[in-house]
Amino acid sequence: MRSELPKVLHTLAGRPLLGHVLDLARSLSPKRIVVVYGHGGERVRQALESDDLVWALQEPQRGTGDAVARAAALLEDDTPTLVLYGDVPLTTRDTLSRLCAAAGSQRLGLLTVTLDDPSGYGRIVRAGGKVARIVEHRDADQATRAIREVNTGILVAPTARLKGWLARLGNDNAQHEYYLTDVIAMAVADGVDVVTEQPAQAWETLGVNSRAQLAELERVHQRNLALGLMEAGVSLADPARIDVRGTLACGRDVHIDVNCVFEGDVHLAEGASVGANCVIRDARVGAHASVLAFSHVDGAVIGARARIGPYARLRPGTELGEDTHVGNFVEMKNTRMAAHSKANHLAYVGDAVVGERVNIGAGTITCNYDGANKFQTVIEDDAFIGSDTQLVAPVRVGRGATLGAGTTLTRDAPDGKLTVSRARQATIDGWKRPSKKAR
């Protein structure tokens, strides 16, 4: 990876590679999950520490067989052990369930895959149709390298027998490492049936050893997510240009334009639409609401039939009622704006409570921060805020009040009246514009 970051902490869809594998393991309801980590792996442990994980240190790192052996003392003999890999993030629960079912409690189950180009993989050598052993690519002769069925490394085995096989592993091979794959031949020699399953798609078994491979898996994963969304009734302008880095739940007839990024937990209700190049994080978008192009929504709730953007920014704590409008270059933070209100142009509204049917004019600013503390602005129903107004919090604008353009409001504005704070206009006779002086 050419990186200071441990490989399994590089992200796919916004989550560490190992995080995907741990979630997969949890989905199988195991008795215990043991994570084997190596030199420098304390960063891994710190990033993913959880009460349901047990950690085993492998140092020095001497191969996959040695890695599993480091975990052996933590494994329960009466429960089969499933071996997964922290850099293989896309294996599905269905595939692993089939593998575990085929192996049961007495057989060794091996996940294999047939590849057009098996270069670099351990080959599955069969005798009479049954698995006899696995030969690593570097140790294989020409005839063995012609075999296209390869080992994925993922296996499930009876734990008591697995411990015995691990204790007998040697390192007489090209890498001088202890190969987990050598237990296959031991199982055959001990009369243990070796059964195989294959994944529905080869990408389920692909690992990451470079940034290029990580990018390839990212697109595979995003394509799978896109197909799932379309099958659920979502329209995607281009399934190849969407990134989901968390959970995206959508109602029917949602439309998503190109180059949108969804992070955290996002819910788009029925009929909602998202324009091109939007970033939406930890947000809820109501039914038939529109988020127009180039808008950023972070930690906000958007009501039904609302219209956001283009080029709007909603920050955490923002809650918008139905049929609200937040237009171009408007930023809102920690603000509740009730139904049918709008701020259509060039405004900042922070730490505010805005009532129904309020109009916030262009250039309006809630001055909510004095350099040390935040203060709230309250704008009641049916108020009209003229353009280029500064509301110096804490301050209240009464029901039906109007603020004239250019007002700097430092005291509460009463209900139903016009409040203006503006220097008197004057015209200066005989005034001349400055001119440039000759050099």
Side-chain angles (χ1 to χ4, degrees):
M1 301 298 287
R2 298 183 182 274
S3 172
E4 293 183 0
L5 187 70
K7 178 170 65 172
V8 295
L9 292 185
H10 283 260
T11 59
L12 181 141
R15 298 203 60 225
L17 293 171
L18 181 55
H20 289 272
V21 180
L22 292 175
D23 283 350
L24 174 62
R26 292 181 177 112
S27 75
L28 298 169
S29 302
K31 285 188 176 180
R32 178 174 296 168
I33 301 175
V34 181
V35 183
V36 181
Y37 66 110
H39 176 70
E42 279 300 326
R43 290 182 66 181
V44 177
R45 184 166 181 170
Q46 292 170 5
L48 295 165
E49 186 75 81
S50 175
D51 291 342
D52 66 341
L53 302 179
V54 180
W55 297 81
L57 177 63
Q58 183 195 21
E59 192 173 352
Q61 296 172 61
R62 301 182 298 177
T64 52
D66 178 64
V68 178
R70 300 303 177 99
L74 302 170
L75 306 176
E76 298 183 13
D77 287 355
D78 61 351
T79 305
T81 293
L82 173 66
V83 179
L84 302 175
Y85 294 82
D87 61 355
V88 182
L90 298 185
T91 313
T92 64
R93 183 180 186 278
D94 176 69
T95 292
L96 294 183
S97 295
R98 287 190 288 107
L99 177 65
C100 291
S105 61
Q106 301 299 321
R107 293 180 291 275
L108 189 152
L110 193 61
L111 189 66
T112 70
V113 64
T114 301
L115 300 176
D116 292 335
D117 181 6
S119 300
Y121 289 88
R123 306 307 202 275
I124 303 297
V125 178
R126 294 179 179 266
K130 294 184 177 181
V131 176
R133 65 187 188 280
I134 298 175
V135 179
E136 295 298 326
H137 181 87
R138 293 191 180 189
D139 301 315
D141 58 25
Q142 200 63 31
T144 304
R145 290 186 178 184
I147 297 172
R148 294 172 51 228
E149 184 185 13
V150 301
N151 174 45
T152 68
I154 295 174
L155 61 80
V156 59
T159 301
R161 285 188 173 273
L162 177 62
K163 290 179 179 179
W165 298 327
L166 292 171
R168 293 157 46 193
L169 287 177
N171 64 348
D172 184 17
N173 53 62
Q175 294 287 86
H176 299 294
E177 292 185 347
Y178 296 89
Y179 292 153
L180 180 62
T181 50
D182 288 347
V183 306
I184 306 304
M186 294 180 187
V188 173
D190 288 349
V192 175
D193 288 339
V194 178
V195 296
T196 62
E197 285 288 333
Q198 292 216 350
Q201 302 290 339
W203 48 255
E204 291 189 45
T205 67
L206 296 179
V208 173
N209 288 305
S210 69
R211 294 180 189 267
Q213 290 175 346
L214 179 59
E216 290 171 5
L217 285 193
E218 180 75 47
R219 294 332 310 162
V220 168
H221 182 60
Q222 294 298 338
R223 175 68 180 182
N224 293 338
L225 294 175
L227 291 174
L229 289 170
M230 291 187 290
E231 289 173 359
V234 177
S235 293
L236 301 179
D238 185 350
R241 288 190 284 171
I242 181 174
D243 281 89
V244 180
R245 300 169 186 169
T247 301
L248 174 60
C250 297
R252 293 186 302 173
D253 296 319
V254 166
H255 182 272
I256 300 172
D257 210 330
V258 299
N259 300 328
C260 292
V261 178
F262 300 92
E263 300 180 342
D265 184 13
V266 177
H267 184 273
L268 307 179
E270 179 175 332
S273 65
V274 180
N277 303 295
C278 289
V279 178
I280 301 181
R281 178 189 300 113
D282 292 324
R284 300 181 67 85
V285 179
H288 304 287
S290 299
V291 180
L292 303 180
F294 294 97
S295 294
H296 284 216
V297 178
D298 182 5
V301 177
I302 298 170
R305 297 184 299 282
R307 179 183 175 91
I308 310 302
Y311 295 98
R313 184 185 183 196
L314 303 183
R315 292 168 58 191
T318 299
E319 298 181 16
L320 305 178
E322 65 174 331
D323 187 38
T324 46
H325 291 187
V326 177
N328 47 284
F329 304 105
V330 174
E331 178 180 357
M332 286 190 170
K333 187 268 296 182
N334 194 30
T335 289
R336 299 195 311 273
M337 189 164 80
H340 315 299
S341 291
K342 56 187 178 181
N344 276 331
H345 315 282
L346 302 162
Y348 171 71
V349 185
D351 295 296
V353 177
V354 181
E356 296 185 352
R357 298 174 300 279
V358 170
N359 181 86
I360 297 176
T364 295
I365 298 172
T366 57
C367 305
N368 58 327
Y369 182 51
D370 66 359
N373 300 294
K374 299 289 181 69
F375 299 93
Q376 188 178 73
T377 297
V378 176
I379 304 173
E380 297 186 352
D381 295 349
D382 299 303
F384 183 95
I385 311 300
S387 297
D388 194 28
T389 293
Q390 297 86 48
L391 301 160
V392 183
V395 72
R396 176 183 295 269
V397 178
R399 181 185 296 267
T402 298
L403 301 186
T407 292
T408 298
L409 192 72
T410 57
R411 299 189 302 272
D412 291 356
D415 295 357
K417 295 183 179 180
L418 170 64
T419 298
V420 180
S421 168
R422 183 189 301 159
R424 183 179 296 276
Q425 182 172 312
T427 300
I428 309 300
D429 293 331
W431 179 83
K432 294 183 179 180
R433 287 185 181 177
S435 58
K436 288 186 178 181
K437 296 180 179 180
R439 294 184 178 180

